[in-house]
Amino acid sequence: MESNLEKYRKEINDLCKDGLFLKCGLRNEMHIHYTDSELEGISEDKVKKIKEASFKDKYQKWYNASLAAIRQLLPDRVTDFVSAYHANVKKEKDLTNYCIEDYIIGITLVSYSKEDNYGLIRNKLDLQYQIVCSLSDRLDSALFEIKQLIESDLFDSEIDEAMMLANKGFLRGAGAICGVVLEKHLKMVAASHTIKIPKKTPTINDLNDLLKNSDVIDVAQWRHIQFLGDLRNKCDHDKTPEPTKGDLEDLVSGVRKVIKTIY
């Protein structure tokens, strides 16, 4: 059964394919002919589709579906996408405000050649096409951000559990849980910055040093994490002095701060 992720990725890929044929359709409608070299190596069926592709009767459906996807995954590019289609100006049309909408309703820049008119609209469509094709990468990025949010919620729950144990007097166990949360989060931060972790089982200090050396955290943050690592070790090792309730409070509040401010 197809997962939702696979469905979304397929929809984006379909939008990219449809956008490619829209580009061909625009060229066909503007009677900009293909050279033999451009079609060299392409199957007869594909060449037929390219030459029969249309633009005006297909564009609106593609535009609406693409805009909906961009609003969800890439809201910062909505204005760029929309402005390529529609210029919200009432002055006379020229090179600066001629858009895809104008071409669709039959407006042309009479002072310019057919090739110039085509070039303007092609550039607008190219921009929209590139934005749509970038959605696939954004989908992966968004999924990673969702994963971070989910893990952050899980970490909060684990810290709450640690605090409950601490309140019942199980200080070492509570400290161990906080240490695990801190270690998991630092690994996640390293992954988000594509930092390779050389050790198979790195310690908190190993991860802390990696992040500092990679300029992900500053010296003050590095020292704070080092302090939290020392508190965790105090809770984790039987031969160390018994941790105090104050130690646990520092550890809990410190780990909460790290997972909320370092990512």
Side-chain angles (χ1 to χ4, degrees):
M1 185 175 177
E2 189 178 47
S3 69
N4 284 336
L5 173 58
E6 290 166 341
K7 178 184 174 185
Y8 296 146
R9 201 179 299 283
K10 182 178 182 299
E11 288 176 358
I12 292 170
N13 288 339
D14 287 344
L15 286 174
C16 289
K17 290 177 185 175
D18 292 344
L20 197 56
F21 279 106
L22 282 175
K23 291 168 72 172
C24 297
L26 176 64
R27 183 166 177 169
N28 294 337
E29 290 176 4
M30 297 291 276
H31 304 291
I32 308 295
H33 299 294
Y34 299 94
T35 63
D36 291 339
S37 61
E38 286 179 299
L39 300 176
E40 187 178 353
I42 302 176
S43 68
E44 288 186 13
D45 288 344
K46 186 76 175 287
V47 169
K48 185 180 178 184
K49 286 182 179 180
I50 289 171
K51 289 186 174 181
E52 291 179 351
S54 58
F55 177 77
K56 288 183 179 179
D57 61 339
K58 302 285 186 183
Y59 176 80
Q60 293 292 354
K61 182 179 178 181
W62 179 83
Y63 174 84
N64 291 334
S66 298
L67 182 57
I70 293 165
R71 280 180 172 146
Q72 289 293 320
L73 290 172
L74 212 58
D76 290 347
R77 300 306 304 274
V78 166
T79 300
D80 295 332
F81 188 82
V82 171
S83 62
Y85 167 69
H86 173 75
N88 193 23
V89 292
K90 295 183 179 179
K91 61 183 182 179
E92 184 179 348
K93 291 295 177 181
D94 57 26
L95 290 173
T96 64
N97 58 33
Y98 185 58
C99 295
I100 293 172
E101 180 185 39
D102 300 318
Y103 167 75
I104 290 175
I105 64 177
I107 297 174
T108 58
L109 296 176
V110 294
S111 301
Y112 297 89
S113 68
K114 176 184 70 175
E115 287 77 12
D116 287 337
N117 276 266
Y118 165 68
L120 286 170
I121 299 305
R122 181 197 61 202
N123 290 341
K124 302 281 186 180
L125 184 59
D126 279 344
L127 172 64
Q128 291 185 324
Y129 174 75
Q130 289 163 13
I131 292 172
V132 169
C133 289
S134 71
L135 290 175
S136 183
D137 290 337
R138 176 56 190 156
L139 179 60
D140 292 332
S141 176
L143 288 171
F144 185 78
E145 289 170 8
I146 290 169
K147 180 185 176 185
Q148 285 183 311
L149 289 173
I150 292 171
E151 289 189 348
S152 180
D153 288 342
L154 290 173
F155 292 162
D156 277 336
S157 297
E158 290 183 55
I159 293 173
D160 289 340
E161 182 183 337
M163 204 64 228
M164 287 175 59
L165 284 174
N167 289 334
K168 292 179 180 179
F170 300 104
L171 301 181
R172 289 191 185 276
I177 291 174
C178 287
V180 170
V181 169
L182 180 58
E183 188 178 299
K184 285 180 181 177
H185 181 73
L186 296 180
K187 285 180 179 177
M188 189 176 73
V189 173
S192 71
H193 290 271
T194 62
I195 299 170
K196 188 175 180 181
I197 302 173
K199 289 188 177 180
K200 219 172 187 180
T201 54
T203 64
I204 289 172
N205 283 337
D206 291 332
L207 296 166
N208 192 27
D209 289 344
L210 272 176
L211 296 179
K212 181 173 76 73
N213 294 337
S214 301
D215 294 324
V216 175
I217 58 176
D218 58 30
V219 173
Q221 291 169 317
W222 173 77
R223 285 176 178 159
H224 181 232
I225 294 171
Q226 195 175 48
F227 168 69
L228 297 177
D230 290 341
L231 287 178
R232 181 268 181 107
N233 291 337
K234 187 175 181 181
C235 295
D236 224 22
H237 301 143
D238 290 336
K239 293 182 180 180
T240 58
E242 191 71 22
T244 65
K245 186 74 180 295
D247 290 335
L248 258 297
E249 289 174 355
D250 288 343
L251 183 55
V252 167
S253 63
V255 172
R256 280 196 198 278
K257 181 179 179 181
V258 168
I259 66 176
K260 299 298 183 185
T261 60
I262 298 174
Y263 41 85

